[in-house]
Amino acid sequence: MKTDIIFYRLFQEFPDIFFELIGNPPEEASLYQFSSVEIKQTAFRIDGVFLPTQGSENQIYFVEVQFQADGEIYSRLIAEICLYLRQNQPSNDWGAVVLYPNRNVDTGNIKHYREFFTSGRVKRIYLDELGEGASLPIGIATAKLVIATDDIAIVQARELIDRTKSEINSPPKQQQLLQFIETILAYKFPTMSREEMQQMFGLSELKQTRFYQEAFQEGVEQGIEQGKVQGIEQGKLRAVPAMLAAGLTVEQVAQALDLSVEQVRQAEQ
């Protein structure tokens, strides 16, 4: 699973989760913009940076997500940060956070950089040491879902869905978090069928996610395209199995392709 991409997207869509992770008020997220920065004339690129909004004196946060052992991570990270500071000359102070699944992956040698750690300028966070998901803020619990073993990830996802529906009052944010939980599961279980994904989420939740909506649209477009090539009626009928396999109901397929329910059921056989 591309865990770095998952976490950078998480911080992009829910920056308040990052500030909760480092023990700061989640409201601080409104003072920052999360992005990646390229260091000119080098091969370095820092994928995660929380830059204060213009005119703010808040400190810059550099974020590194590290899910594989790398003995040179700290020499690379410090070098990238120092080059960024030299090229950009920001007036803001800075800090760095390295996110690990557990301590075993933290194999970097801090000998030459220990002052950064003892001063607290560079912090390390181990997800497996943050506590049980049910006792954590919902954002941090969602981040921990990434490291959950396969046999308990589905159970935790269901719990998160229930918490999202009961704790998140804003419909847009609730929808966004449901989509993100579903994205994590899609990465964790790449061979899982749409039907199994529906059972995991519950049909009503899945219908609201981008994953489901894109599948619906893909099925509709496929039916239209096949209709153009093979003849409208025949093309629609040939598109039925693919749309049903994508997780749409018989009634939804009938409505999308302007067919009767009976025609859809016959095409399914």
Side-chain angles (χ1 to χ4, degrees):
M1 184 172 61
K2 301 177 181 178
T3 49
D4 54 344
I5 296 175
I6 284 285
F7 274 97
Y8 292 134
R9 177 180 161 185
L10 180 68
F11 295 147
Q12 181 78 52
E13 297 185 12
F14 304 96
D16 52 310
I17 293 177
F18 170 78
F19 291 95
E20 286 184 308
L21 281 170
I22 64 175
N24 289 11
E27 292 78 15
E28 282 192 19
S30 63
L31 304 175
Y32 286 84
Q33 179 180 2
F34 183 71
S35 62
S36 62
V37 295
E38 187 172 352
I39 302 173
K40 300 175 183 178
Q41 298 177 345
T42 74
F44 289 153
R45 183 179 185 86
I46 305 176
D47 289 324
V49 185
F50 280 95
L51 295 172
T53 54
Q54 192 170 6
S56 170
E57 291 301 317
N58 291 308
Q59 73 175 22
I60 300 169
Y61 287 101
F62 299 95
V63 185
E64 182 79 14
V65 178
Q66 192 64 34
F67 270 56
Q68 295 181 344
D70 182 356
E72 298 183 357
I73 179 175
Y74 298 124
S75 60
R76 185 181 71 252
L77 177 63
I78 298 302
E80 291 172 348
I81 291 172
C82 289
L83 280 171
Y84 173 86
L85 296 174
R86 180 183 179 187
Q87 291 184 0
N88 293 275
Q89 297 291 311
S91 60
N92 306 71
D93 202 351
W94 66 274
V97 176
V98 186
L99 191 64
Y100 289 103
N102 53 62
R103 290 182 183 269
N104 293 333
V105 181
D106 183 6
T107 60
N109 190 337
I110 70 170
K111 178 179 180 180
H112 299 300
Y113 315 103
R114 56 182 175 267
E115 291 81 7
F116 291 106
F117 294 89
T118 56
S119 67
R121 188 179 286 277
V122 178
K123 297 180 180 179
R124 292 173 284 188
I125 295 176
Y126 307 103
L127 288 172
D128 67 334
E129 298 180 10
L130 293 177
E132 295 299 322
S135 64
L136 295 170
I138 192 168
I140 297 179
T142 301
K144 283 202 67 176
L145 179 63
V146 176
I147 65 168
T149 56
D150 291 354
D151 57 336
I152 64 173
I154 294 177
V155 174
Q156 290 186 350
R158 287 172 178 162
E159 293 174 351
L160 281 170
I161 288 172
D162 290 340
R163 288 186 62 187
T164 298
K165 293 166 67 176
S166 63
E167 297 179 21
I168 305 298
N169 296 322
S170 167
K173 188 170 183 179
Q174 183 184 110
Q175 178 76 2
Q176 190 179 20
L177 191 56
L178 282 174
Q179 289 175 354
F180 199 83
I181 293 169
E182 185 252 345
T183 297
I184 294 174
L185 290 169
Y187 271 96
K188 290 182 75 69
F189 303 101
T191 61
M192 186 172 290
S193 70
R194 292 280 172 81
E195 291 81 4
E196 292 170 321
M197 189 71 75
Q198 285 183 14
Q199 293 175 3
M200 180 190 309
F201 270 86
L203 185 60
S204 60
E205 283 82 14
L206 185 59
K207 284 181 181 179
Q208 299 174 41
T209 65
R210 184 183 300 122
F211 182 80
Y212 184 92
Q213 292 167 355
E214 288 178 353
F216 184 93
Q217 184 61 32
E218 180 182 349
V220 172
E221 291 176 355
Q222 180 179 351
I224 293 172
E225 188 62 29
Q226 290 189 5
K228 292 178 180 178
V229 175
Q230 301 169 344
I232 297 297
E233 196 71 18
Q234 188 65 22
K236 288 180 180 180
L237 294 174
R238 289 183 180 275
V240 167
M243 295 177 72
L244 292 172
L248 307 182
T249 67
V250 170
E251 291 75 13
Q252 288 170 330
V253 173
Q255 182 179 6
L257 297 180
D258 195 22
L259 296 171
S260 69
V261 170
E262 185 60 32
Q263 285 176 304
V264 173
R265 286 177 176 158
Q266 290 178 355
E268 182 183 13
Q269 299 173 355

